[in-house]
Amino acid sequence: MHLYFSIDNIMNNFTFWSPTKFVFGRDTESRTGSLVKEFGGTKALIVYGGGSVVKSGLLDRVRKSLDEAGVEWEELGGICPNPTDDRVYEGIGLVRNTGIDFLLAVGGGSVIDTAKGIACGVLYDGDFWDFYCGKKVVEKAMPVGVVLTIPAAGSEGSGNSVITKKDGLIKLSLRTESALRPRFSVMNPELTFTLPPYQTACGIVDMMAHIFERYFSNTEGCETTDRVAEGLLTAIMNEAHKVFADPRDYEARANIMWSSTLAHNGLCGTGREEDWASHFMEHELSAIYGVAHGAGLAVVNPAWMSYVSRTNPAKVAQFAVRVMGVIPEYRPEREIAEEGIKRLKEFYRGIGMPVALGELGIENPDIARLVEKLHEHKGNPIGGYVKLTPADTEEIYKLML
Amino acid sequence: MHLYFSIDNIMNNFTFWSPTKFVFGRDTESRTGSLVKEFGGTKALIVYGGGSVVKSGLLDRVRKSLDEAGVEWEELGGICPNPTDDRVYEGIGLVRNTGIDFLLAVGGGSVIDTAKGIACGVLYDGDFWDFYCGKKVVEKAMPVGVVLTIPAAGSEGSGNSVITKKDGLIKLSLRTESALRPRFSVMNPELTFTLPPYQTACGIVDMMAHIFERYFSNTEGCETTDRVAEGLLTAIMNEAHKVFADPRDYEARANIMWSSTLAHNGLCGTGREEDWASHFMEHELSAIYGVAHGAGLAVVNPAWMSYVSRTNPAKVAQFAVRVMGVIPEYRPEREIAEEGIKRLKEFYRGIGMPVALGELGIENPDIARLVEKLHEHKGNPIGGYVKLTPADTEEIYKLML
């Protein structure tokens, strides 16, 4: 075991800049055209995914709204989950040849992240992958707008993008302070009424994980940020139960959708170092075994919490008490933490999520390879709340069995 | 009694647009010059208040930062609390004659609100007061930047401004969606170490009131917004105790400062109708009796809560339980609400705030005049959680005796 952490790290300086205009509520997609125009677009590339936006009529409504606003458009459809670099290259080629000046993502995180990859790639002479592997810093990007259909990734309010390189199975995330923040995001909760339960649950796990990665920090003294994070986690879990009882419950869908944005626009990280080890560990599962990101996180998060509680239980215990409703009863922090983790797993199971690799369909995981790839891609150690070496991450993957 | 309210009002459509770049932490004022430049300023008007920014050396550091960035500057000093229209007119004249293209407010809400008045007034042919009395809508404004010294008004993150007309003692607030949002706000908690206890307490009451005005809404179903609001209120009260124990406690000052921004940048109002009756009632106290806004609110808020609990106790009871730690014990909502209000008053008293008009130095208030002016300025009825007619507001003023 090579664990170390510091608790003398107090509230850090920060910049919080979330300039996106969030247009939230029923029928808001009808305002898409005028929003593109408001932010200077005259010809948009509509980026979208599979059949649901076509079947639901959403794509038609967006096209109509663009037409009405006098905004021209082209399309790039068929973006898949865990989006790959090939579609980004395709988009860059499309934009360069057609005078497109605005990227309009209609979909969830995969679609938005692809649009962001195109947005920074178009204005760069080299390979857009340079930004994702850290060779270059994004200085400028085309404007991106969003019509959100899946509350999960939080990309509608973040400056981030995650793309997988098809060749080498590398899934890398790019973070920018503001260059890749969408200019606007249209968020109509009604568009999520038809989201299947499994995808709804994956989204819920993902947004909770975005909060966890910031909440579990070795930076002390950020009470404001802690209370906001705990409030969002509480809201998400309460509303999740309502959504599974009635998928067309507008308020429940709306609260989950809005929470997913606040989970990832930076608010929950203000003043502290973030962790992200769990996301990194999940990215390897996604890249190697092709699992859905949210389902993977439902397995990783509790295992990670359990492992770090062995040496640094304080914040996990705080989460257990303040979010999971555990009564401390003068017990040791680690015991309180474990009860919180147990309740979190019960919540995940209750919404149909796996909490072990076997339930993900990975019966005999190649842990050595996962660990090797993880640290090859993300360095050594990873994380902040507890810094994790390969010996640690191996243990955590084993806890997922 | 003419009370009515509706509970069938569920989560509303909303736009949340908080584009301000918040630069938070130690020594951040040294970045002021480069921030003005980043947002296109070449010549700034530094707007400031009394002696403290001069004595502390802050003004010098800001000037130096502007010089280093090659930004020219002029000054408009001596802005007073409850800022008046005459200084706005003066600023408009100054800007029009000197080629100034950026307004830099160094101070608290009064200074920022004056800068905002100038910002919209300069680009308008008529009287800037037209915007405040609702005759005109702000369509464009000069860019405003902020170096914040007092966490209270939240103007560093809002699109709002409150100005008092010197002649007629009318205090009116102007709300814009984005035109008057500062481009950036520099927030160094160390600048608040020397804030006197009374001013610190006034600020705390003010930021809490900004949350109350949004939290007490007749719109149901906004769990995300509720949990965030409750988290902020909890953080503010916890950190307040630390600040009064040690005024140089960095984390406590920082949490309070950041909370004051989130209290008023619109986050706590997402999805619901806001109330603002308490602020309106306080504005009349300020205008007629010249009391500090925060101290006035400490008297108004509990009286308002107590009155509305007579007919609509639900949300006040929720506040009592979730923020003030009241154990419900199967009691009627109104009783729970009253215990929460009692605890809130104790908190206010504990930080040296008044909770009755007498403690504000107003022994024989002219309630008839307060009520008359209130509804003359703000209409009839006022508020949303419970709609208040003159008969109601008279009762509320009486509860402050």
Side-chain angles (χ1 to χ4, degrees), chain B residues 82-199:
Chain B
N82 293 323
T84 46
D85 57 341
D86 52 330
R87 304 310 307 276
V88 176
Y89 292 118
E90 189 185 340
I92 291 171
L94 252 176
V95 170
R96 282 194 177 143
N97 297 325
T98 47
I100 286 160
D101 56 14
F102 200 95
L103 295 165
L104 180 63
V106 181
S110 302
V111 167
I112 304 169
D113 286 1
T114 301
K116 288 177 175 178
I118 299 169
C120 60
V122 166
L123 303 184
Y124 175 58
D125 284 337
D127 183 349
F128 90 95
W129 191 252
D130 290 350
F131 298 124
Y132 287 73
C133 65
K135 268 193 210 163
K136 281 274 172 186
V137 173
V138 179
E139 276 167 15
K140 50 187 180 175
M142 283 180 61
V144 174
V146 171
V147 178
L148 186 67
T149 61
I150 306 174
S155 192
E156 71 280 4
S158 82
N160 308 359
S161 165
V162 183
I163 298 288
T164 298
K165 197 156 193 65
K166 223 175 172 181
D167 274 0
L169 292 184
I170 311 177
K171 188 172 184 175
L172 289 183
S173 48
L174 164 62
R175 303 187 71 176
T176 67
E177 185 184 53
S178 71
L180 291 181
R181 301 249 185 192
R183 296 297 204 275
F184 68 82
S185 285
V186 164
M187 300 169 69
N188 177 359
E190 291 180 322
L191 300 178
T192 69
F193 282 178
T194 53
L195 257 188
Y198 186 77
Q199 244 181 308

Side-chain angles (χ1 to χ4, degrees), chain A residues 10-11 13-19 21-22 24-26 221 223-224 227 231 238-239 251 254-255 258-259 270, chain B residues 10-11 13-19 21-22 24-26 221 223-224 227 231 238-239 251 254-255 258-259 270:
Chain A
I10 54 169
M11 196 173 186
N13 283 12
F14 65 86
T15 298
F16 178 69
W17 196 9
S18 172
K21 180 171 183 172
F22 298 103
F24 193 103
R26 294 177 177 86
E223 170 157 26
T224 300
R227 292 297 92 78
N238 287 341
E239 300 295 323
E251 273 69 43
N255 279 298
W258 186 223
S259 295
T270 48
Chain B
I10 54 170
M11 197 172 186
N13 283 12
F14 65 86
T15 298
F16 179 69
W17 195 10
S18 171
K21 180 172 183 172
F22 298 103
F24 193 103
R26 294 178 177 85
E223 169 156 25
T224 300
R227 293 296 92 78
N238 286 342
E239 300 295 322
E251 273 70 43
N255 279 298
W258 186 223
S259 296
T270 48

